[in-house]
């Protein structure tokens, strides 16, 4: 066959079945290929051992598998692994495996760089280069699952979309990857174990609530006062807090699941009593919980972790109003694998 071979992972199961029928072969071969691709995460036609050699050669004549490869693995002294993942066009994204005593959490990227401009985040400094394809997101998960089995003797227990990029700005591909990850014909993972984290694009939160309200939602809030939020997340000028609140209320009405607010407390920015109380009021609208994230320095002098007293104030006020609050300790800081630090620093 002449011309460019098609990436086989862009084919639906039906297309794979008809491919075989067109070549006078049984349609069920298409199901077998689909299973190899999405259940067993095969990256080479030669792995498809229940197909004959001539059938594998036929596939290779017409198709490629544009899989990702690991350019570098770093391990933190706390056990966290960070992969630099090379895409088929040479671009790099990072993904992270965070082990605890009982869990293995995969943190995956949805874009190369990021569309947004949060001034405290290292990924934002890269700008958005492109969206990831569904299979590139799937590969990150499949690779981390393999590493979890190898390093920690258990499969992934959770997946969080908290790596590079804004998932809501690559919505169709994120949804398509999640459907491969959760489908019984794919990795078969429960959607309840998946958290999509967004900086808060109201329209997209509503769309997701309508179409796919099965996984968990986290919203990076960082301030419940418009002015403060606009100054540290400039893109939010187009997305007022009232619109965000309405979208979250809509999400809750559809899912009956509490939303998690991710929140970093910075010295001199949002460490006042007024900011803490604004958060309390914001949280009281819709059942929610707060995850206070430790700040991971990314070389911007404007930001520094708030004093312990300010964190205590937040915890105290939230608890007083029965709003669940947890403090997320950073993992993998020594290898720039923690929240907001993913910026392909160790590799070019
Ligand atoms: N774009 C998505 C997901 C990626 S960021 C989102 O904004 O939710 C994952 C989380 O890390 C977000 O809550 C983000 O606000 C937070 N974050 C970004 N930079 C950080 C930093 N330097 N220290 C701690 N958390 C940071």
């Amino acid at each position: 066959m002449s011309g460019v071979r098609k990436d086989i992972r862009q084919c639906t199961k039906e297309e794979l079945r008809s491919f075989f029928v067109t070549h006078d072969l049984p349609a069920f071969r298409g199901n077998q290929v689909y299973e190899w691709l999405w259940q067993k995460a095969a990256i080479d036609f030669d792995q498809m051992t229940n197909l004959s050699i001539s059938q594998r050669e036929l596939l290779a004549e017409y198709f490629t598998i544009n899989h990702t490869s690991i350019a570098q693995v770093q391990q933190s002294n706390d056990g966290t692994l960070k992969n630099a993942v090379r895409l088929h066009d040479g671009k790099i994204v990072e993904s992270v495996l965070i082990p605890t005593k009982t869990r293995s959490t995969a943190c995956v990227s949805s874009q190369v760089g990021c569309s947004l401009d949060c001034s405290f985040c290292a990924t934002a400094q890269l700008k958005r280069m492109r969206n990831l394809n569904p299979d590139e997101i799937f590969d990150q998960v499949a690779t981390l699952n393999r590493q979890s089995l190898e390093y920690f003797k258990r499969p992934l227990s959770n997946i969080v979309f908290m790596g590079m990029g804004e998932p809501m700005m690559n919505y169709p591909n994120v949804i398509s990857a999640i459907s491969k990850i959760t489908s019984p014909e794919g990795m078969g993972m429960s959607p309840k174990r998946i958290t999509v984290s967004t900086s808060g694009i109201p329209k997209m939160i509503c769309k997701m609530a309508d179409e796919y309200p099965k996984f968990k939602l986290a919203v990076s809030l960082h301030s419940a006062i418009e002015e403060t939020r606009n100054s540290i997340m400039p893109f939010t000028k187009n997305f007022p807090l009232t619109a965000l609140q309405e979208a979250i209320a809509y999400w809750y009405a559809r899912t009956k699941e509490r939303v998690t607010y991710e929140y970093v407390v910075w010295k001199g920015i949002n460490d006042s009593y007024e900011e803490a109380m604004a958060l309390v009021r914001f949280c009281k609208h819709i059942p929610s919980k707060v995850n206070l994230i430790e700040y991971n320095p990314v070389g911007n002098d404007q930001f520094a972790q708030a004093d312990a007293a300010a964190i205590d104030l937040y915890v105290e006020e939230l608890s007083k109003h029965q709003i669940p609050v947890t403090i997320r300790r950073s993992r993998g800081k020594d290898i720039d694998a923690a929240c907001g630090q993913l910026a392909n620093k160790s590799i070019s």
Side-chain angles (χ1 to χ4, degrees):
M1 197 193 88
S2 61
V4 180
R5 287 174 297 159
K6 182 173 176 176
D7 181 2
I8 196 165
R9 290 193 294 180
Q10 287 177 12
C11 295
T12 61
K13 191 164 43 162
E14 259 332 296
E15 286 167 343
L16 293 175
R17 287 169 58 88
S18 357
F19 171 81
F20 282 100
V21 173
T22 315
H23 290 86
D24 296 327
L25 291 162
F28 79 87
R29 293 289 178 202
N31 298 40
Q32 288 177 316
V33 171
Y34 193 86
E35 214 168 85
W36 277 108
L37 294 174
W38 298 115
Q39 206 169 67
K40 300 178 189 144
I43 52 168
D44 196 313
F45 296 118
D46 282 337
Q47 289 172 271
M48 304 182 179
T49 44
N50 54 2
L51 270 68
S52 69
I53 292 179
S54 66
Q55 286 163 353
R56 287 182 243 159
E57 282 171 355
L58 178 70
L59 286 172
E61 201 183 315
Y62 284 84
F63 300 107
T64 58
I65 308 178
N66 282 344
H67 62 89
T68 63
S69 55
I70 306 184
Q72 186 187 48
V73 183
Q74 288 172 277
Q75 188 161 28
S76 158
N77 51 29
D78 68 19
T80 300
L81 290 181
K82 181 171 83 168
N83 293 333
V85 178
R86 196 182 303 281
L87 310 174
H88 70 93
D89 62 357
K91 294 205 164 42
I92 302 273
V93 291
E94 293 179 329
S95 47
V96 182
L97 179 62
I98 307 148
T100 64
K101 265 206 187 102
T102 51
R103 286 183 183 189
S104 282
T105 300
C107 175
V108 297
S109 294
S110 55
Q111 298 182 308
V112 187
C114 188
S115 309
L116 305 179
D117 54 8
C118 307
S119 42
F120 47 82
C121 178
T123 309
Q125 289 158 19
L126 297 176
K127 307 292 174 217
R128 187 192 82 93
M129 288 180 244
R130 73 168 171 85
N131 286 338
L132 293 187
N133 296 326
D135 50 274
E136 292 169 330
I137 298 171
F138 177 87
D139 277 357
Q140 293 176 64
V141 174
T143 302
L144 292 171
N145 190 45
R146 229 180 312 112
Q147 288 169 316
S148 182
L149 287 164
E150 185 188 325
Y151 284 76
F152 309 112
K153 314 290 170 234
R154 59 180 181 230
L156 290 180
S157 51
N158 301 79
I159 301 172
V160 296
F161 281 78
M162 295 185 187
M164 295 168 135
E166 168 52 47
M168 293 295 103
M169 301 296 261
N170 184 18
Y171 179 82
N173 292 353
V174 166
I175 295 298
S176 164
I178 291 180
S179 75
K180 294 287 193 305
I181 293 163
T182 54
S183 149
E185 287 182 319
M187 288 175 71
M189 187 155 194
S190 162
K192 291 276 165 249
R193 293 172 176 276
I194 299 179
T195 301
V196 174
S197 175
T198 174
S199 307
I201 317 285
K203 198 173 75 187
M204 300 312 291
I205 293 175
C206 295
K207 188 172 161 69
M208 195 162 82
D210 281 334
E211 292 174 356
Y212 212 88
K214 295 203 183 75
F215 35 74
K216 296 206 158 73
L217 180 66
V219 174
S220 303
L221 193 61
H222 301 309
S223 175
I225 295 179
E226 199 88 71
E227 232 187 317
T228 313
R229 196 160 189 264
N230 288 173
S231 74
I232 56 176
M233 302 167 80
F235 76 92
T236 61
K237 287 184 188 114
N238 301 318
F239 305 107
L241 279 168
T242 45
L244 179 59
Q245 202 154 44
E246 277 166 26
I248 294 168
Y250 188 68
W251 171 270
Y252 182 76
R254 301 279 307 204
T255 62
K256 297 283 173 286
E257 284 277 349
R258 276 172 197 269
V259 170
T260 300
Y261 297 126
E262 296 164 274
Y263 202 101
V264 179
V265 188
W266 290 283
K267 207 186 259 269
I269 291 178
N270 58 356
D271 57 351
S272 63
Y273 179 74
E274 191 198 355
E275 287 276 354
M277 289 318 290
L279 177 62
V280 167
R281 283 193 300 279
F282 194 91
C283 289
K284 285 178 109 176
H285 281 270
I286 314 139
S288 54
K289 51 191 171 186
V290 174
N291 201 340
L292 294 175
I293 313 176
E294 190 183 324
Y295 175 57
N296 302 304
V298 295
N300 181 339
D301 294 344
Q302 196 196 337
F303 295 97
Q305 169 76 32
D307 294 336
I311 312 283
D312 290 347
L313 170 75
Y314 268 91
V315 172
E316 204 175 294
E317 291 303 331
L318 290 164
S319 308
K320 216 191 275 177
H321 293 86
Q322 285 81 47
I323 299 155
V325 53
T326 48
I327 298 182
R328 192 199 295 164
R329 212 165 40 87
S330 288
R331 300 288 305 271
K333 241 201 238 190
D334 54 325
I335 53 164
D336 283 327
C339 282
Q341 291 188 316
L342 301 184
N344 298 342
K345 259 205 264 176
S346 67
I347 195 153
S348 54

